[in-house]
């Protein structure tokens, strides 16, 4: 699909998908993390009397005469450390809950937007990219969100530790701002390169999804053309790019970590030199400040890695946002009485929207219990017309009548919204035959399911299967053929009992005799349904009540069964 110009993604944009309860838990996470930072810093400072037992402690220019035995001091230090560990454990539990719920909300939101999106907005979207958005892309974003939570902890720990260090000994803490600036500069090293690599990584993963789609059917095509080596080379190429991108990302993380650790080592060394050259800096203050700043060392590597994960999540989040901006399909007005078709629907004129505006159809009658054949050359607009007749896409011009009442397209969509659209490209995605049929009719009994299967000629096939209705659709041992899958989808139509059923080449995997038998069974079982069948086969005309033929000049001709059978 067409990509709009990129706008920078702020770190706060990652919080937009969160809801009120999530934000409350985020506040609790911040509070617990802040408490942990305070308790951890207190535990670090409490080590001073343990290192210098019996000596008065000078902190922040004030002298503290710490009384008590070593055992008592050790017990207090142990208690503070235990509380610190418990607070970090609770914060980790909250972070896990926030991250898992965050990923769930991202998936639900983008899937709901895709389900509700207008069909024209998806015209240029590839199935591989959509699969990427719904699967691995969310994982990358969730990792970025988790990194953001870790950065919050690191930031609060640094703030508390540096604040206490400044209070204990301002001269020793004067080097902290310089170190912070250097650390910030180091964290931004190769930032643009990292973003470029991350965008390429997301694009390469999308291409990998494309190469992996519909593999069993593609394999037959590849082998028949003897292009196995070419496919291996193509896959090896994309695998090498992904490997190189992954290696490059890890190299950047390692380089950034090295810079940060070298800065930390230089900073701690400078701190010792500064302590012994400045007058008035006592041993206790030096020990306390070193312990507080030493607490930050473990965060250096994790902070750099978190920043890299956040950079990697930006292009994935941009892709998610792009799909979240898809325009929503306009919904039909819902009548409290429900859709009713009394007699024939007369479509006086329907003209498709550009680029198929040349397709202009007049005087099409749709009567429940009849079958209309739609035929024409490939690419002439049959599927686009089918989208209009099922109410999925708004045409450029639409005038119709229901009885003597003139209706607009919204009225028409309301009338035909109880429909069934089966396309040649759709394959059942449910786990078993039973799940597939109950998806169309949740309240159907087993007897109804068996009857529908018998109507489409699939009952005997499943009777011979060990699992019957519970036959899996993905297992290689019980996998149904293309024609059997089409029969299964047509059984869904019977169970649905729609007001309008449109079959777009939905029987092309069947032989002519089987196609006639199945379509006749549908016509018999759906006496109150308007049936529209898109097909290239002239044989369908023998059971059609009406034919709509689109010529090469986009002129449409509508004629009745008498002429079709002539």
């Amino acid at each position: 699909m067409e990509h709009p110009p990129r706008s920078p993604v702020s770190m706060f944009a990652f919080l937009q998908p969160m809801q009120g309860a999530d934000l409350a838990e985020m506040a609790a996470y911040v509070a617990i993390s802040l408490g942990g930072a305070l308790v951890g810093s207190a535990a670090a400072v409490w080590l001073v009397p343990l290192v210098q037992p019996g000596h008065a402690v000078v902190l922040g220019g004030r002298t503290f005469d710490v009384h008590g035995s070593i055992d008592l001091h050790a017990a207090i230090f142990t208690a503070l450390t235990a509380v610190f560990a418990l607070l970090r454990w609770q914060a980790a539990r909250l972070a896990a809950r926030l991250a898992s719920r965050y990923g769930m909300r991202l998936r639900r939101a983008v899937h709901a937007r895709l389900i509700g999106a207008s069909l024209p907005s998806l015209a240029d979207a590839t199935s591989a990219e959509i699969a990427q958005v719904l699967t691995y892309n969310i994982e990358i974003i969730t990792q970025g969100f988790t990194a953001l939570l870790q950065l919050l902890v690191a930031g609060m720990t640094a703030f508390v530790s540096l604040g206490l260090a400044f209070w204990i000994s301002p001269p020793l803490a004067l080097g902290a701002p310089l170190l912070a600036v250097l650390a910030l500069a180091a964290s931004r090293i190769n930032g643009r390169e990292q973003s470029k690599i991350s965008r390429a990584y997301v694009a390469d993963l999308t291409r990998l999804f494309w190469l992996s789609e519909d593999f069993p059917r593609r394999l037959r095509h590849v082998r028949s053309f003897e292009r196995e080596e070419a496919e291996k080379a193509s896959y090896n190429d994309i695998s090498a790019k992904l490997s190189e991108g992954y290696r490059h990302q890890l190299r950047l993380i390692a380089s950034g970590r090295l810079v940060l650790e070298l800065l930390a080592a230089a900073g701690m060394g400078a701190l010792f030199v500064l302590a012994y050259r400045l007058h008035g800096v006592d041993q206790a203050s030096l020990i306390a400040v070193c312990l507080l700043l030493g607490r930050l060392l473990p965060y250096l590597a994790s902070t750099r890695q978190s920043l890299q994960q956040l950079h990697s999540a930006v292009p994935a989040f941009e892709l998610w946002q792009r799909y979240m901006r898809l325009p929503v399909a306009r919904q039909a007005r819902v009548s409290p009485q429900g859709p009713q078709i009394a007699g024939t629907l007369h479509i006086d004129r329907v003209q498709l929207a550009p680029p198929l505006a040349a397709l202009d159809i007049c005087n099409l009658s749709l009567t429940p219990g009849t079958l209309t054949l739609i035929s024409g050359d490939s690419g002439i607009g049959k599927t686009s017309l089918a989208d209009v007749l099922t109410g999925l896409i708004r045409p450029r011009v639409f005038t119709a009548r229901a009885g003597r009442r003139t209706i607009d397209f919204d009225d028409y969509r309301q009338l035909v919204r109880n429909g069934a659209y089966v396309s040649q490209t759709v394959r059942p995605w449910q786990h078993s035959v039973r799940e597939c049929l109950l998806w169309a009719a949740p309240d159907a009994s087993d007897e109804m399911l068996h009857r529908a299967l018998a109507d489409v000629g699939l009952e005997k096939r499943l009777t011979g299967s060990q699992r019957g209705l519970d036959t899996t659709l993905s297992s290689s041992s019980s996998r149904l053929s293309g024609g059997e899958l089409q029969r299964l989808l047509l059984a869904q139509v019977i169970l649905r009992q729609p007001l309008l059923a449109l079959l777009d080449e939905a029987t092309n995997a069947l032989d002519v005799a089987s196609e006639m038998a199945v379509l006749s069974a549908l016509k018999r079982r759906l006496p109150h349904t308007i049936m529209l069948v898109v097909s290239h086969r002239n044989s369908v005309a023998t059971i059609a009540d009406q034919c709509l033929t689109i010529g090469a000049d986009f002129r449409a001709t509508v004629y009745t069964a008498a002429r079709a059978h002539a």
Side-chain angles (χ1 to χ4, degrees):
M1 62 191 299
E2 197 171 314
H3 297 185
R6 286 195 189 100
S7 56
V9 175
S10 67
M11 296 302 102
F12 291 103
F14 284 92
L15 303 181
Q16 290 176 1
M18 301 181 71
Q19 297 182 357
D22 300 323
L23 293 174
E25 284 202 359
M26 174 72 88
Y29 173 79
V30 171
I32 291 173
S33 299
L34 180 59
L38 289 169
V39 173
S41 296
V45 172
W46 200 263
L47 277 172
V48 176
L50 288 173
V51 175
Q52 290 186 315
H55 290 74
V57 179
V58 180
L59 300 175
R62 299 178 61 186
T63 302
F64 296 88
D65 192 4
V66 182
H67 299 285
S69 64
I70 289 293
D71 294 340
L72 177 62
H73 294 161
I76 293 174
F77 170 77
T78 302
L80 287 172
T81 304
V83 172
F84 169 67
L86 285 171
L87 288 174
R88 286 194 63 182
W89 172 74
Q90 184 59 35
R93 284 167 54 89
L94 267 177
R97 190 158 60 205
L98 281 167
S100 63
R101 193 182 300 155
Y102 181 81
M104 177 190 69
R105 294 200 194 287
L106 289 178
R107 292 188 197 282
R108 287 180 174 178
V110 74
H111 185 264
R113 180 52 63 100
L114 282 164
I115 289 290
S118 65
L119 289 180
S121 68
L122 294 173
D124 297 325
T126 66
S127 58
E129 185 174 75
I130 292 175
Q132 162 81 334
V133 169
L134 291 171
T135 54
Y136 189 69
N137 200 66
I138 302 295
E139 296 302 315
I140 298 176
I141 302 172
T142 305
Q143 289 173 11
F145 176 75
T146 302
L148 187 61
L149 296 179
Q150 292 171 348
L151 286 172
L152 279 174
V153 174
M156 284 183 289
T157 302
F159 177 79
V160 171
S161 296
L162 292 175
L164 281 176
F166 190 80
W167 173 71
I168 290 170
S169 179
L172 291 178
L174 286 177
L178 177 60
L179 290 176
V181 171
L182 292 175
L184 180 62
S187 69
R188 298 182 67 86
I189 291 175
N190 299 323
R192 287 188 178 181
E193 187 177 2
Q194 171 66 27
S195 297
K196 182 180 177 181
I197 293 171
S198 299
R199 286 190 170 85
Y201 195 75
V202 170
D204 288 338
L205 275 175
T206 300
R207 187 180 164 204
L208 190 65
F209 269 81
W210 179 263
L211 290 176
S212 307
E213 279 189 315
D214 202 16
F215 193 83
R217 288 184 176 85
R218 180 179 293 181
L219 183 59
R220 292 176 174 84
H221 187 76
V222 170
R223 285 183 178 172
S224 68
F225 279 77
E226 297 183 316
R227 296 294 292 168
E228 293 94 334
E229 295 305 318
E231 285 299 298
K232 289 178 184 177
S234 180
Y235 196 88
N236 289 346
D237 176 62
I238 189 66
S239 297
K241 286 186 177 180
L242 286 169
S243 175
E244 177 63 19
Y246 190 66
R247 184 193 68 80
H248 206 165
Q249 287 190 45
L250 293 181
R251 184 182 63 79
L252 290 177
I253 291 173
S255 299
R257 183 169 57 209
L258 174 63
V259 172
L260 285 174
E261 290 175 347
L262 290 176
L263 283 173
M268 294 300 289
L271 189 65
F272 283 110
V273 173
L274 186 65
Y276 285 103
R277 291 197 175 184
L278 286 175
H279 297 289
V281 176
D282 60 278
Q283 194 79 7
S285 296
L286 174 62
I287 294 172
V289 170
C290 286
L291 289 171
L292 286 170
L293 296 183
R295 289 188 68 238
L296 302 181
L297 291 178
Y299 288 101
L300 290 177
S302 63
T303 296
R304 175 64 182 176
Q305 188 165 355
S306 295
L307 286 170
Q308 294 291 351
Q309 286 180 330
L310 207 52
H311 278 301
S312 299
V314 168
F317 191 75
E318 288 174 345
L319 184 61
W320 180 86
Q321 283 184 316
R322 178 151 51 83
Y323 275 87
M324 285 299 297
R325 288 192 290 266
L326 289 173
V328 177
R330 185 175 173 182
Q331 299 298 315
R333 296 191 298 264
V334 178
S335 168
Q337 291 80 26
Q340 299 293 328
I341 297 180
T344 300
L345 276 173
H346 298 278
I347 299 179
D348 298 320
R349 185 187 178 196
V350 56
Q351 182 184 22
L352 270 60
L356 292 169
L359 185 53
D360 199 338
I361 298 167
C362 298
N363 301 321
L364 176 64
S365 297
L366 302 178
T367 304
T370 64
L371 187 154
T372 299
L373 170 64
I374 301 174
S375 60
D377 295 337
S378 298
I380 205 71
K382 299 189 301 298
T383 297
S384 297
L385 176 61
D387 288 338
V388 170
L389 293 178
T390 50
L392 297 176
I393 290 182
R394 183 175 295 275
R396 183 177 185 178
V397 177
F398 186 89
T399 57
R401 289 173 290 117
R404 296 183 178 181
R405 181 170 63 96
T406 300
I407 59 174
D408 61 14
F409 188 67
D410 286 333
D411 295 323
Y412 174 79
R413 287 205 302 178
Q414 160 65 10
L415 289 172
V416 302
R417 66 188 178 90
N418 175 22
Y421 192 145
V422 181
S423 170
Q424 62 174 326
T425 57
V426 173
R427 293 291 181 269
W429 56 91
Q430 293 82 10
H431 176 68
S432 67
V433 170
R434 185 190 301 275
E435 288 182 15
C436 180
L437 296 178
L438 290 179
W439 180 86
D443 299 326
S445 64
D446 280 6
E447 181 183 354
M448 295 170 64
L449 301 186
H450 282 293
R451 185 180 176 189
L453 291 172
D455 287 328
V456 298
L458 202 53
E459 172 70 3
K460 290 183 179 179
R461 163 70 165 84
L462 294 178
T463 301
S465 171
Q466 292 181 346
R467 304 194 65 184
L469 289 174
D470 295 314
T471 298
T472 58
L473 301 178
S474 57
S475 172
S476 58
S477 61
S478 60
R479 183 175 296 146
L480 302 182
S481 67
E484 289 170 335
L485 291 175
Q486 286 190 336
R487 291 176 188 267
L488 184 59
L489 293 177
L490 295 175
Q492 283 187 336
V493 177
I494 293 175
L495 292 168
R496 168 76 165 156
Q497 290 290 308
L499 293 174
L500 185 146
L502 197 145
L503 313 181
D504 187 359
E505 300 284 356
T507 53
N508 66 342
L510 304 177
D511 59 70
V512 174
S514 298
E515 180 182 47
M516 293 299 99
V518 171
L519 290 178
S520 297
L522 261 69
K523 192 176 178 183
R524 184 179 65 256
R525 285 294 308 277
L526 302 173
H528 305 294
T529 297
I530 298 169
M531 284 186 59
L532 305 175
V533 178
V534 178
S535 179
H536 287 94
R537 291 176 175 172
N538 295 329
S539 55
V540 179
T542 60
I543 61 171
D545 300 284
Q546 178 180 231
C547 297
L548 189 160
T549 302
I550 304 173
D553 57 355
F554 289 95
R555 292 185 62 183
T557 305
V558 179
Y559 49 93
T560 60
R563 180 180 166 187
H565 300 162

